[in-house]
Amino acid sequence: MAARGWSRFAVRVGARQCRAAVPPVRRASGAAPGAAETPPQRREQRPGSGTAGSGPQQVPSEKSESFASMLRRSPLIQMGPAKDKIAIGQIFHIVEDDLYIDFGGKFHCVCKRPEVDGKSWSGSWNTIWTDCGSTTRKYQRGTRVRLRLLDLELTSRFLGAKTDTTLLEADAVLLGLAESKQTKQKE
Amino acid sequence: MAVPRLLRAAAPRLYSTVLVPAPATAPAPVATQPSAADDKLLSEPLSHPDFFNVKELFTLKDLFDARVHLGHKKGCRHRFMEPYIFGCRLDQDIIDLEQTMQHLQLALNFTAHIAYRKGIILFISRKRQFCHLVECTARACGEYAHTRYWQGGLLTNAHIQFGAGVRLPDLIVFLSSLNNVFQTHVAVRDAAKMNIPTVGVVDTNCNPSLITYPIPGNDDSPSAVELYCKLFRMTIIRAKDKRRQSEAIEELRRKAEGN
């Protein structure tokens, strides 16, 4: 099955195999172009840059793609429930210890800067314990980080309210820096 | 309390006097009498459905990439936004971008016409995250912005708060139609009271009722708001340039006829 555009969502949950989200054969609502038409694409959309920077990678017939088919192929839908999904985000604002990270959803998430340079999953070269000063240097505006998403929007219905109260924020756990070697290869 | 005021060919809104319906009371010098040429200048754009070609400014893909289709959670949904919602995915509402495209085209076209006719446009947004962006956008197109606390009578009590002879905006553009406590911004209601048309981006938790040209879309993501600001700025600048161009052509034609 053709791998869908990954963008920043790597679907990896716990010990499950790392596999592309295989969408079952779905009957699209409109006359959506067949799945075989669009070749597997790696959409290198940087989080936060909404412009169509991935133009050259698209098939020319994209110009008539319907909203429904665009939506169906989007990483957000392909990801499924956001709980415990790994995503790559980019820090766009820092307030002392709070990092505001945009991962491509409607809202950003806010995570506390880790006190020490946390170990990454694959135990790469940057696991040396260093003093707190280096994390300040590591987590800057524009740094790409790995997150485990918990919720795309923190909302709750309180007693006596007609609608939910929303915090206008997503919820995620900061896992560490995105592996720099891999990101270099992507460029 | 009839205050004499300059009348321009475009006949701006007359406010700040107590119910003076007849603009004829103001002295009308000959220069402000709309001539045939001026009439043509103003009426020609009205005959085209998309005189300023605002459709080419955006595509469905642009809207999609800017995350305009993402709405709030199902529990935050406003009942009146249901027609504009494509569906609900895992509790998150998705806005129908096909409808948004149409609404956005109408809204931009209207904004362009207002700017062409030298109307005053006021941008309002109470989102702190984007207040600087909105103010910069307004400054870039030579229009106005209000992104701070809205005092009660700014529109309805203008002749007392600002003095007599104040000209109110001819169009109010809401880049977010809610205030800081998630209620509809007071200016929506006040603009309706003062007969000022409004254009507003309405998210799934907003009430689109009183807004003249609602644009169903995301108002929380920076990419979406940047896109709207860019579109409004381009539309207004394009309309103003067109006006300058038309006036220059008229000027030349008048000179040629004079000779």
Side-chain angles (χ1 to χ4, degrees), chain A residues 9 76 79-83 103-108 149-155 168-171, chain B residues 70 73 89-90 92:
Chain A
F9 294 116
L76 190 72
M79 171 177 79
K83 190 97 177 53
F103 53 86
K106 181 171 160 91
F107 296 104
H108 56 271
L149 302 179
L150 298 174
D151 201 353
L152 288 179
E153 184 182 350
L154 289 169
T155 57
L168 303 179
E169 251 179 46
D171 195 15
Chain B
L70 299 178
K73 290 270 163 116
R89 161 80 174 174
L90 295 165
Q92 182 179 26

Side-chain angles (χ1 to χ4, degrees), chain A residues 107-176:
Chain A
F107 296 104
H108 56 271
C109 64
V110 184
C111 301
K112 276 259 177 287
R113 188 203 302 272
E115 280 170 41
V116 289
D117 190 11
K119 293 201 195 74
S120 53
W121 285 84
S122 52
S124 58
W125 52 274
N126 58 356
T127 54
I128 305 162
W129 290 93
T130 48
D131 60 323
C132 297
S134 73
T135 54
T136 315
R137 270 180 268 121
K138 285 218 181 318
Y139 294 97
Q140 298 284 359
R141 281 186 64 176
T143 313
R144 301 192 81 179
V145 292
R146 276 163 50 124
L147 304 163
R148 178 157 31 98
L149 302 179
L150 298 174
D151 201 353
L152 288 179
E153 184 182 350
L154 289 169
T155 57
S156 184
R157 177 79 55 107
F158 289 96
L159 275 181
K162 273 194 295 243
T163 55
D164 282 8
T165 306
T166 167
L167 278 184
L168 303 179
E169 251 179 46
D171 195 15
V173 173
L174 182 61
L175 299 175

Side-chain angles (χ1 to χ4, degrees), chain B residues 233-250:
Chain B
R233 189 184 63 236
M234 285 169 72
T235 320
I236 292 171
I237 290 175
R238 187 182 275 210
K240 287 184 171 173
D241 286 343
K242 190 87 182 127
R243 175 65 184 237
R244 265 197 293 271
Q245 208 181 19
S246 303
E247 282 180 338
I249 292 174
E250 276 308 311

Side-chain angles (χ1 to χ4, degrees), chain B:
Chain B
M1 214 183 97
V3 178
R5 226 163 291 115
L6 285 170
L7 274 179
R8 273 202 250 152
R13 340 188 131 265
L14 306 174
Y15 293 116
S16 86
T17 55
V18 186
L19 296 171
V20 175
T25 54
V30 180
T32 60
Q33 198 69 20
S35 63
D38 282 341
D39 257 347
K40 183 168 164 286
L41 201 67
L42 293 176
S43 60
E44 197 209 332
L46 294 178
S47 48
H48 301 249
D50 194 2
F51 185 72
F52 302 96
N53 201 13
V54 293
K55 259 202 273 267
E56 64 165 19
L57 291 176
F58 61 94
T59 60
L60 189 63
K61 184 109 184 52
D62 290 338
L63 294 185
F64 194 85
D65 291 337
R67 312 180 213 165
V68 167
H69 58 292
L70 299 178
H72 286 270
K73 290 270 163 116
K74 188 165 70 174
C76 299
R77 192 193 302 168
H78 195 286
R79 209 177 135 212
F80 296 158
M81 286 301 292
E82 277 166 19
Y84 304 119
I85 292 175
F86 182 74
C88 187
R89 161 80 174 174
L90 295 165
D91 265 7
Q92 182 179 26
D93 286 334
I94 305 287
I95 296 168
D96 188 0
L97 282 190
E98 310 273 358
Q99 291 189 50
T100 301
M101 291 266 284
Q102 296 165 6
H103 284 88
L104 188 57
Q105 193 264 320
L106 290 173
L108 289 177
N109 183 43
F110 186 74
T111 312
H113 280 275
I114 295 277
Y116 181 87
R117 298 166 91 87
K118 302 196 180 164
I120 291 180
I121 299 177
L122 180 68
F123 289 91
I124 292 182
S125 169
R126 208 52 188 99
K127 287 219 154 18
R128 288 197 63 178
Q129 198 179 0
F130 310 119
C131 91
H132 180 72
L133 174 66
V134 171
E135 289 175 347
C136 291
T137 309
R139 192 181 346 168
C141 32
E143 298 295 344
Y144 305 83
H146 186 105
T147 55
R148 315 286 163 162
Y149 176 73
W150 182 272
Q151 277 184 318
L154 281 185
L155 293 176
T156 45
N157 206 20
H159 59 287
I160 292 177
Q161 293 194 352
F162 295 113
V166 66
R167 185 177 156 188
L168 292 179
D170 298 300
L171 173 67
I172 296 184
V173 178
F174 288 93
L175 285 145
S176 161
S177 63
L178 297 180
N179 61 17
N180 282 351
V181 283
F182 301 101
Q183 294 163 343
T184 312
H185 201 289
V186 166
V188 172
R189 191 199 64 199
D190 283 355
K193 282 185 185 174
M194 304 303 290
N195 283 344
I196 301 173
T198 44
V199 163
V201 176
V202 282
D203 206 342
T204 51
N205 57 348
C206 304
N207 185 355
S209 307
L210 284 178
I211 298 174
T212 330
Y213 289 92
I215 303 169
N218 186 6
D219 62 3
D220 296 299
S221 299
S223 53
V225 179
E226 276 164 13
L227 177 76
Y228 301 133
C229 286
K230 184 186 87 163
L231 289 176
F232 280 112
R233 189 184 63 236
M234 285 169 72
T235 320
I236 292 171
I237 290 175
R238 187 182 275 210
K240 287 184 171 173
D241 286 343
K242 190 87 182 127
R243 175 65 184 237
R244 265 197 293 271
Q245 208 181 19
S246 303
E247 282 180 338
I249 292 174
E250 276 308 311
E251 192 64 40
L252 289 172
R253 195 176 300 161
R254 213 177 291 140
K255 274 201 192 130
E257 278 169 13
N259 296 347

